[in-house]
Amino acid sequence: MTLRRVPPLLAALLLVGSFALTGTASAAADDPGPGRAEITCDASTGKISTRLTGTWVPGFAYQAEFRLLTGSFVRTDGSLGWVPQFPAVTGTGTGASNGALNIDGYTRDWNASDYLFYTETVQVIVRNSAGAQVSERKATCNRDARTTYTLTCDPATHTISATVSATRYRSNSRVYVEYNRITTYQYTPDSTRWTSWPSSQKPDISHSALTDADGNWSDLGYSYTFKSEPYYYEQTVEVIVKLSDGTIVGRGSDHCVYADGT
């Protein structure tokens, strides 16, 4: 798990949240930093679009190659598969005086209503004007119309718990559920505030679950109790649901704040 110091955050107390992705979804780079890749799966426009944004070196010329890294889907008829590869798209741009950069990547047609689940990850290779690689960024978008991801921060019981519930999966089958947590915490008002990022080597927690005859299943990812009250504590859980062959058939996240002394 990677630790990063972060400045104090301003956040209101949020007790319970749940997130089922059914429409537009976008995500920034999986490597935290000022320059990032973005991908949007927009149900309203029927488009998937990608871009490179954020703060880079002012006056520096960049070339960005956008490539489908991976993607999978479950259609409304229950069939599933991998998103087929297609040619990479390259764009160029120069950092503005304040470092701002925006390079558009590929845009494709996409009919969200065809899918119970859809995920796509774009890989962006960033090069300088001489063609040497200077950075790599990734971003993922999801649509999940059958799975609900819930993270509960409950100061009354001193607990944080993560659960998943789902419908319309294949009946009497097994799924594998991976949980990754991003946590920002500060123990006392005068202590350092840290963010811990999940390891890239393996998930924080992994379980398997069996679907019932109707294709329903649920899983308690984790639940833990605080022995002492922190000054600040927030958490995001990212969940991936897979089949035995590694095909991703569910993906989502949720966020809550347990304590906010700011």
Side-chain angles (χ1 to χ4, degrees), residues 174-191:
R174 185 175 295 275
V175 295
Y176 299 86
V177 194
E178 299 178 352
Y179 299 83
N180 285 296
R181 293 167 292 186
I182 301 171
T183 303
T184 299
Y185 57 93
Q186 185 178 7
Y187 289 117
T188 62
D190 57 350
S191 64

Side-chain angles (χ1 to χ4, degrees), residues 72-258:
S72 58
F73 60 83
V74 179
R75 296 188 183 274
T76 53
D77 63 4
S79 61
L80 55 89
W82 297 90
V83 179
Q85 291 289 334
F86 52 87
V89 172
T90 300
T92 59
T94 301
S97 58
N98 61 356
L101 178 71
N102 187 82
I103 300 176
D104 290 331
Y106 63 77
T107 297
R108 303 190 295 112
D109 293 332
W110 177 67
N111 188 3
S113 63
D114 289 344
Y115 302 98
L116 293 173
F117 169 76
Y118 187 95
T119 185
E120 181 169 320
T121 298
V122 60
Q123 177 189 49
V124 185
I125 303 298
V126 186
R127 297 183 173 90
N128 60 22
S129 57
Q133 181 174 329
V134 296
S135 184
E136 176 186 340
R137 292 289 187 265
K138 290 180 287 185
T140 300
C141 68
N142 309 303
R143 169 184 167 83
D144 196 339
R146 58 182 185 166
T147 317
T148 300
Y149 309 89
T150 303
L151 182 65
T152 302
C153 290
D154 190 350
T157 60
H158 308 283
T159 60
I160 289 182
S161 58
T163 59
V164 179
S165 60
T167 62
R168 301 177 70 181
Y169 278 68
R170 289 183 175 177
S171 61
N172 302 313
S173 63
R174 185 175 295 275
V175 295
Y176 299 86
V177 194
E178 299 178 352
Y179 299 83
N180 285 296
R181 293 167 292 186
I182 301 171
T183 303
T184 299
Y185 57 93
Q186 185 178 7
Y187 289 117
T188 62
D190 57 350
S191 64
T192 302
R193 184 170 292 185
W194 296 93
T195 293
S196 61
W197 297 85
S199 168
S200 60
Q201 302 301 314
K202 60 182 180 180
D204 289 342
I205 299 167
S206 59
H207 294 156
S208 66
L210 288 173
T211 67
D212 63 19
D214 297 319
N216 304 319
W217 63 274
S218 62
D219 183 63
L220 172 61
Y222 57 88
S223 181
Y224 57 88
T225 302
F226 285 92
K227 295 182 180 179
S228 61
E229 293 299 287
Y231 178 72
Y232 187 91
Y233 197 100
E234 66 166 317
Q235 189 169 101
T236 296
V237 60
E238 300 173 334
V239 187
I240 299 177
V241 184
K242 297 180 177 179
L243 300 180
S244 59
D245 65 357
T247 303
I248 297 175
V249 294
R251 196 174 208 163
S253 65
D254 197 15
H255 171 268
C256 67
V257 176
Y258 176 85

Side-chain angles (χ1 to χ4, degrees), residues 26-78:
S26 62
D30 61 352
D31 179 18
R36 62 188 183 274
E38 295 180 355
I39 181 170
T40 302
C41 297
D42 194 330
S44 62
T45 62
K47 299 287 186 181
I48 294 176
S49 58
T50 59
R51 64 205 62 84
L52 183 71
T53 65
T55 304
W56 298 76
V57 178
F60 196 86
Y62 292 94
Q63 181 185 83
E65 180 185 271
F66 297 79
R67 184 179 299 276
L68 170 67
L69 183 62
T70 185
S72 58
F73 60 83
V74 179
R75 296 188 183 274
T76 53
D77 63 4

